[in-house]
């Protein structure tokens, strides 16, 4: 081997050795041989020429001394074994190969390039002419991600060979680039390149990528579309309902119960039906009064904890009763009122880990409830622990369960009488409400609000004594509770309760009971009307001529108008009068907001409005053609309740009064609304203590208003229209528009026009 730094041309090498060395260099540059193989073959070629070279590497001289005597004693030099002829050997023997070798030798002479004496990478950033081999014997592993630019040019200048190790013709000189743009041989696997590119990337994103600055986007104010509809009406005024009649009202609802229980003890109060439609039990006003007294006496005198009364006035008690047992629920409700306790009706838990019961548990805990009332049959169906007691449901506080069937109650002494106080600000009952997020809160209703609600419903609906009401709704909450349990007691009404299981088995059962009991009023939802239409075929012996009032509790739902129209078209021939259908609007916070009055009670004729959906999406009222698909047809929900004041305020920001052609949230000022979310002072102030203001900022009243969560507007004849809800959007909500959302054909702005279509 030549000395380090000695050029190859200065070494007297035979021509065949030079040609072999050039072949090795060509194979190494084209990737046909590894660096290690190149070093081995090169050392063998140079070892044959040790006598001709001065200053050979000592390691090679030692190797030559060892091999010398063996070669001398051999009779003849050992010939290499012939290799089988293949495409590779033919390539090296071809004329093209000879020309390539000669070109490489000429290039070495022109560049004065020294032959490498140590293992090193053929792809290096340093120039070959300035290369100086390192002083340790073991070099670093080759770096395939760096290389010489000269090699890239050399690859392009060399002629293409026929075929090398399965590489197709024409791909011999192909070059790949790493992530850094450095060329490497095409022999490097794509998977290796992918691995190298992955390793070059940082293991985790820079810290700045975790905190993207969207301040500019946040501060960017979307310009309003000039073509979007805008309210153009005048500012609305507060709508005042008719005054509440000053009749001979009882001082409280409990006083009315005592009056009917003692003077009309045999008058029917409530009839319960089984799943077959048969009357199971009829509770009279006398039985309701006596059983409620027993329960009140038991709660106050027979429940003790360490010789101390378990309950004191104002404590909350849970009522756990199924929808099929309205009789015992009514006894428990009025028994708690007589004992000055606060009933909290809840649903029967299904399983120990029922997801819905967890939210009910939050309600029970926030109300500080430690006692639950139920029936013997309901308690047997509850999950039990190994001790035989009712399990503690997930999220529930520890409860004491009391069965209130007759045998478990104690008859009070004859000289014991409950304290029948007048209606005041004390909480009468708590009704649960589930928000759109799934949380459950308790809406507190005072005794004064309870009595005012019953009085206003009596006046608006025209209830009179001894009427019959068919109730299809849940009697534990909402309109089913207000009409079927509370207002009915004030007017000595006979309520026929239709269980939900019976409606599923026979959707026409409520109509059949109207016929059997000659009911003057019925309380349903639009779904019940729709189901009865599907089951009415073949039922020709039904008649609805006795009905003077058909209350549609979900009349605020805009889609209820289709059920009302279809129901009227079918049953008008069976005695149903068009003016009987009375939709209403309500909310847990404001109780009943508005209800349609029949014309014979002095109410205006019903109306409906065909509104543009495009306008409603911007909170603007625009009348459109009914034939279009992009319209919403809504019916009125009647007039505001007696003794109430109603206004419509903007949904966002300060509660400014809306314009007459603008949709907003309906707010109510009345003594018949709820008072608070029990135990939640923060949201109570936002909902129950709203102060609407005019455009100039002046309050419209010295009394606070209650937000209803209903989206709507006030139409002609002071009729209320509802198009949706804020808590859980029902149909239409408010969304921000840009120019792309606006319909190309802008709707003409028209003043409010309403049409009355006769039923």
């Amino acid at each position: 081997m030549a000395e380090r730094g000695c050029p190859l041309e200065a070494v007297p090498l035979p021509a065949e050795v030079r040609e072999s060395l050039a072949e090795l260099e060509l194979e190494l540059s084209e990737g046909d041989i590894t660096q290690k193989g190149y070093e081995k073959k090169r050392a063998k070629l140079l070892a044959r020429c040790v006598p001709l070279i001065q200053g050979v590497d000592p390691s090679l001289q030692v190797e030559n001394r060892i091999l010398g005597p063996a070669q001398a004693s051999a009779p003849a030099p050992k010939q290499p074994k012939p290799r089988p002829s293949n495409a590779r050997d033919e390539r090296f023997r071809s004329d093209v190969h000879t020309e390539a070798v000669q070109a490489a030798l000429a290039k070495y002479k022109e560049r004065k390039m020294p032959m490498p004496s140590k293992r090193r990478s053929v792809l290096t950033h340093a120039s070959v002419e300035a290369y100086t081999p390192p002083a340790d014997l073991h070099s670093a592993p080759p770096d395939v991600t760096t290389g010489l630019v000269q090699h890239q040019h050399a690859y392009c200048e060399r002629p293409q060979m026929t075929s090398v190790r399965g590489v197709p013709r024409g791909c011999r000189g192909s070059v790949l680039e790493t992530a850094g743009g450095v060329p490497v041989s095409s022999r490097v696997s794509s998977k290796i390149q992918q691995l190298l590119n992955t390793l070059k990337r940082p293991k985790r994103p820079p810290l700045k990528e975790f905190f993207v600055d969207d301040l500019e986007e946040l501060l960017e104010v979307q310009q309003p579309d000039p073509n979007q509809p805008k309210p153009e009406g005048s500012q609305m005024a507060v709508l005042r309902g008719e005054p509440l009649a000053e009749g001979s009202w009882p001082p409280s609802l409990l006083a009315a119960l005592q009056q009917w229980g003692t003077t009309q003890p045999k008058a029917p109060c409530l009839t319960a039906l089984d799943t077959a439609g048969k009357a199971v039990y009829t509770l009279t006003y006398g039985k309701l009064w006596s059983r409620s007294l027993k329960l009140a006496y038991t709660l106050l005198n027979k429940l003790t904890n360490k010789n101390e009364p378990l309950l004191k006035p104002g404590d909350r008690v849970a009522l756990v009763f199924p929808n099929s047992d309205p009789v015992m629920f009514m006894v428990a409700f009025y028994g708690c009122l007589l004992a000055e306790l606060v009933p909290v009706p809840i649903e029967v838990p299904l399983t120990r880990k029922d997801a819905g019961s967890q939210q009910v548990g939050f309600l029970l805990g926030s109300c500080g409830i430690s006692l639950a009332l139920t029936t013997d049959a309901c308690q047997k169906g509850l999950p039990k622990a190994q001790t035989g007691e009712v399990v503690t449901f997930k999220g529930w506080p520890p409860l004491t369960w009391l069965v209130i069937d007759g045998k478990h109650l104690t008859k009070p002494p004859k000289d014991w009488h409950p304290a029948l106080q007048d209606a005041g600000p004390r909480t009468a009952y708590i009704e649960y409400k589930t928000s759109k997020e799934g949380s459950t809160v308790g809406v507190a209703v005072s005794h004064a609000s309870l009595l005012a609600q019953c009085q206003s419903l009596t006046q608006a609906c025209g209830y009179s004594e001894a009427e019959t009401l068919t109730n299809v709704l849940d009697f534990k909450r909402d309109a089913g509770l207000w009409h079927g349990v509370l207002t009915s007691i004030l007017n000595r009404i006979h309520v026929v309760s239709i269980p939900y299981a019976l409606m599923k088995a026979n959707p026409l059962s409520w109509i059949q009971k109207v016929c059997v009991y000659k009911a003057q009023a019925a309380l349903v939802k639009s779904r019940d009307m729709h189901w009865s239409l599907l089951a009415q075929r073949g039922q020709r012996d039904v008649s609805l001529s006795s009905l003077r009032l058909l209350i549609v509790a979900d009349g605020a739902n805009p889609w209820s108008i289709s059920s009302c129209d279809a129901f009227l078209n079918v049953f008008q021939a069976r005695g149903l009068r068009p003016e009987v259908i009375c939709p209403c609007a309500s909310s847990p916070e404001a109780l009943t907001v508005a209800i349609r009055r029949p014309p014979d009670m002095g109410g205006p004729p019903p109306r409906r409005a065909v509104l543009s959906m495009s306008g409603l999406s911007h909170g603007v009222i625009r009348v459109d053609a009914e034939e279009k698909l992009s319209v919403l047809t809504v019916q009125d929900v009647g007039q505001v309740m007696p003794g109430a004041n109603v206004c419509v305020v903007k949904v966002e920001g300060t509660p400014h009064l809306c314009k007459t052609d603008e949709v907003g949230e309906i707010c109510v000022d009345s003594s018949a609304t709820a008072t608070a979310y029990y135990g939640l002072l923060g949201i109570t102030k936002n909902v129950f203590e709203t102060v609407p203001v005019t455009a100039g900022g002046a309050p419209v009243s010295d009394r606070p208003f209650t937000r209803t969560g209903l989206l709507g507007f006030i139409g002609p004849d002071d009729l209320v229209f509802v198009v949706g809800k804020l808590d859980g959007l029902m149909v239409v909500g408010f969304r921000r528009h840009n120019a792309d959302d606006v319909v190309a054909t802008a709707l003409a702005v028209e003043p409010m026009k309403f049409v009355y279509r006769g039923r």
Side-chain angles (χ1 to χ4, degrees):
M1 181 179 292
E3 290 182 344
R4 299 177 182 175
C6 180
L8 183 63
E9 293 76 2
V11 181
L13 296 176
E16 61 272 13
V17 175
R18 287 180 174 273
E19 183 177 355
S20 299
L21 290 175
E23 291 179 1
L24 288 177
E25 289 290 338
L26 182 62
E27 289 180 324
L28 179 63
S29 63
E30 294 182 350
D32 293 337
I33 189 174
T34 62
Q35 182 74 18
K36 185 175 181 181
Y38 164 78
E39 296 290 347
K40 286 185 178 181
K41 291 186 178 182
R42 179 175 176 278
K44 289 182 180 180
L45 289 175
L46 295 179
R48 302 175 185 175
C49 307
V50 171
L52 301 177
I53 304 175
Q54 299 297 329
V56 185
D57 192 6
S59 61
L60 295 179
Q61 292 181 358
V62 174
E63 180 182 359
N64 188 60
R65 293 192 194 98
I66 298 176
L67 297 177
Q71 293 177 354
S73 59
K78 187 176 181 179
Q79 300 294 332
K81 295 182 180 181
R83 294 189 299 175
S85 177
N86 52 24
R88 179 180 175 85
D89 295 335
E90 292 297 331
R91 185 195 66 174
F92 287 125
R93 292 186 176 89
S94 64
D95 296 338
V96 178
H97 171 71
T98 303
E99 295 177 1
V101 172
Q102 295 297 334
L105 289 175
K107 192 170 297 185
Y108 279 125
K109 290 180 181 180
E110 294 175 1
R111 298 182 181 181
K112 304 297 182 179
M113 181 179 295
M115 297 296 291
S117 58
K118 293 291 182 181
R119 175 179 296 179
R120 62 178 178 175
S121 172
V122 297
L123 302 176
T124 178
H125 289 290
S127 175
V128 177
E129 296 181 357
Y131 172 76
T132 302
D136 55 342
L137 295 179
H138 303 283
S139 61
D143 184 6
V144 298
T145 62
T146 58
L148 284 172
V149 181
Q150 290 86 345
H151 282 281
Q152 182 177 1
H153 295 298
Y155 299 150
C156 300
E157 295 175 0
R158 292 191 179 94
Q160 296 181 355
M161 300 305 171
T162 57
S163 176
V164 179
R165 296 184 182 180
V167 179
R169 183 187 300 270
C171 300
R172 185 65 181 266
S174 62
V175 176
L176 295 178
E177 291 189 0
T178 61
V182 181
V184 296
S185 175
S186 62
R187 298 290 300 173
V188 180
S189 172
S190 61
K191 292 185 177 180
I192 297 178
Q193 290 299 319
Q194 185 178 2
L195 177 61
L196 291 173
N197 295 338
T198 302
L199 294 176
K200 284 188 174 183
R201 290 197 299 263
K203 294 184 178 180
R204 58 181 60 184
L207 186 60
K208 63 180 182 180
E209 295 186 11
F210 288 99
F211 302 94
V212 181
D213 189 6
D214 295 335
L215 183 59
E216 296 181 358
E217 298 181 3
L218 295 176
L219 294 179
E220 182 181 358
V221 179
Q222 199 168 22
Q223 298 297 329
D225 191 351
N227 295 326
Q228 75 178 29
K230 299 178 181 178
E232 297 180 350
S234 60
Q235 179 178 280
M236 72 161 296
V238 177
L239 180 61
R240 305 187 185 279
E242 59 186 282
L244 188 62
E246 298 181 358
S248 57
W249 300 107
S252 66
L253 191 60
L254 294 178
L257 175 60
Q258 183 186 29
Q259 176 185 351
W260 303 128
T262 55
T263 61
Q264 302 287 338
K266 295 184 179 180
C269 176
L270 176 65
T271 297
L273 306 178
D274 59 8
T275 55
K278 296 181 180 180
V280 179
Y281 184 80
T282 297
L283 179 68
T284 62
Y285 277 90
K287 287 292 185 182
L288 176 59
W289 172 249
S290 61
R291 290 188 180 183
S292 301
L293 287 177
K294 286 184 180 180
L295 178 58
Y297 180 79
T298 303
L299 293 174
L300 294 177
N301 299 277
K302 298 300 180 181
L303 299 181
T304 58
N305 182 17
K306 297 180 180 180
N307 297 328
E308 292 291 335
L310 182 64
L311 300 172
K312 60 181 182 297
D315 286 351
R316 280 70 56 197
V317 177
L319 305 187
V320 185
F321 295 89
N323 292 334
S324 58
D325 196 353
V327 172
M328 297 307 298
F329 172 81
M330 184 172 280
V331 172
F333 189 90
Y334 283 100
C336 291
L337 294 184
L338 289 173
E340 300 185 29
L341 302 176
V342 180
V344 184
I346 62 174
E347 302 297 334
V348 178
L350 302 178
T351 60
R352 183 174 184 177
K353 297 182 179 180
D354 185 14
S357 66
Q358 298 183 31
Q359 298 298 332
V360 175
F362 170 77
L363 171 65
L364 299 178
S366 61
C367 293
I369 295 177
S370 60
L371 178 66
L373 306 184
T374 187
T375 60
D376 187 40
C378 182
Q379 187 189 39
K380 290 180 179 179
L382 296 176
K384 302 294 191 304
Q386 296 181 354
T387 58
E389 298 180 353
V390 179
V391 298
T392 300
F393 296 95
K394 187 176 182 180
W396 285 33
L399 295 179
T400 300
W401 292 84
L402 177 63
V403 177
I404 64 169
D405 294 89
K407 59 182 180 180
H408 298 280
L409 301 181
T410 304
K411 185 177 181 180
K414 293 184 179 181
D415 57 348
W416 185 85
H417 300 284
L420 299 181
Q421 299 181 0
D422 294 341
R426 296 178 296 106
T427 301
Y429 73 96
I430 296 176
E431 180 177 328
Y432 76 89
K433 172 195 174 183
T434 303
S435 64
K436 61 182 178 180
E437 295 86 4
S439 59
T440 302
V441 296
V443 181
V445 180
S446 66
H447 283 272
S449 299
L450 174 61
L451 180 61
Q453 173 72 1
C454 295
Q455 292 173 349
S456 61
L457 285 177
T458 299
Q459 180 172 333
C461 299
Y463 286 133
S464 59
E465 295 182 14
E467 284 191 316
T468 301
L469 169 68
T470 302
N471 182 21
V472 187
L473 306 184
D474 184 6
F475 51 80
K476 298 189 297 294
R477 59 196 302 261
D478 293 337
L481 174 66
W482 308 331
H483 289 264
V485 177
L486 303 178
T487 307
S488 61
I489 299 298
L490 186 65
N491 298 278
R492 194 169 63 85
I493 293 176
H494 177 205
V495 178
V496 180
S497 182
I498 310 295
Y500 183 73
L502 176 59
M503 286 294 297
K504 293 177 63 177
N506 181 14
L508 206 63
S509 58
W510 72 275
I511 297 180
Q512 296 172 349
K513 298 309 173 184
V514 169
C515 300
V516 171
Y517 290 93
K518 304 299 181 182
Q520 291 81 19
L523 184 61
V524 299
K525 285 188 176 181
S526 57
R527 67 179 185 192
D528 307 316
M529 305 171 70
H530 177 73
W531 290 350
S532 60
L533 291 175
L534 302 178
Q536 59 85 25
R537 295 182 180 179
Q539 299 287 337
R540 300 185 180 274
D541 56 344
V542 296
S543 175
L544 299 179
S545 59
S546 64
L547 279 180
R548 66 166 187 84
L549 187 68
L550 179 58
I551 302 175
V552 185
D554 61 342
N557 185 343
W559 305 127
S560 64
I561 186 174
S562 59
S563 298
C564 294
D565 291 344
F567 188 82
L568 178 62
N569 292 335
V570 173
F571 288 95
Q572 188 171 7
R574 302 181 185 181
L576 181 65
R577 292 169 292 168
E579 63 273 10
V580 168
I581 300 178
C582 297
C584 68
S586 61
S587 71
E589 295 82 3
L591 306 186
T592 305
V593 178
I595 188 170
R596 183 186 295 174
R597 275 78 151 175
D600 57 358
M601 295 181 57
R607 293 179 181 267
R608 62 181 63 190
V610 182
L611 305 177
S612 168
M613 292 286 286
S614 176
L616 288 176
S617 64
H618 293 280
V620 179
I621 304 167
R622 293 292 180 265
V623 177
D624 209 327
E626 192 171 7
E627 293 76 14
K628 293 184 179 180
L629 296 178
S630 59
V631 298
L632 178 68
T633 304
V634 295
Q635 62 182 350
D636 70 279
V637 291
Q639 297 171 297
V640 300
M641 297 299 291
N645 299 325
V646 172
C647 66
V648 182
V649 301
K650 296 184 181 297
V651 177
E652 299 177 352
T654 305
H656 288 281
L657 291 178
C658 291
K659 296 183 178 181
T660 54
D661 60 343
E662 186 177 7
V663 176
E665 183 178 5
I666 300 175
C667 297
V668 177
D669 165 30
S670 172
S671 59
T673 62
T675 55
Y677 293 122
Y678 192 87
L680 303 174
L681 299 180
I683 59 176
T684 293
K685 184 176 181 60
N686 296 333
V687 174
F688 294 93
E689 300 179 12
T690 300
V691 180
V693 295
T694 61
V700 299
S701 174
D702 56 351
R703 290 170 51 90
F705 281 66
T706 299
R707 292 181 177 267
T708 64
L710 301 176
L711 297 175
F713 58 93
I714 306 300
D717 295 333
D718 294 338
L719 294 175
V720 180
F721 289 82
V722 177
V723 297
K725 289 184 177 180
L726 283 176
D727 191 2
L729 200 58
M730 187 183 344
V731 175
V732 180
F734 295 96
R735 60 188 177 96
R736 296 301 180 189
H737 285 253
N738 52 30
D740 298 334
D741 296 327
V742 178
V743 183
T745 57
L747 298 175
V749 177
E750 299 179 13
M752 283 178 44
K753 295 180 181 179
F754 295 86
V755 293
Y756 169 63
R757 303 182 183 276
R759 295 187 179 275

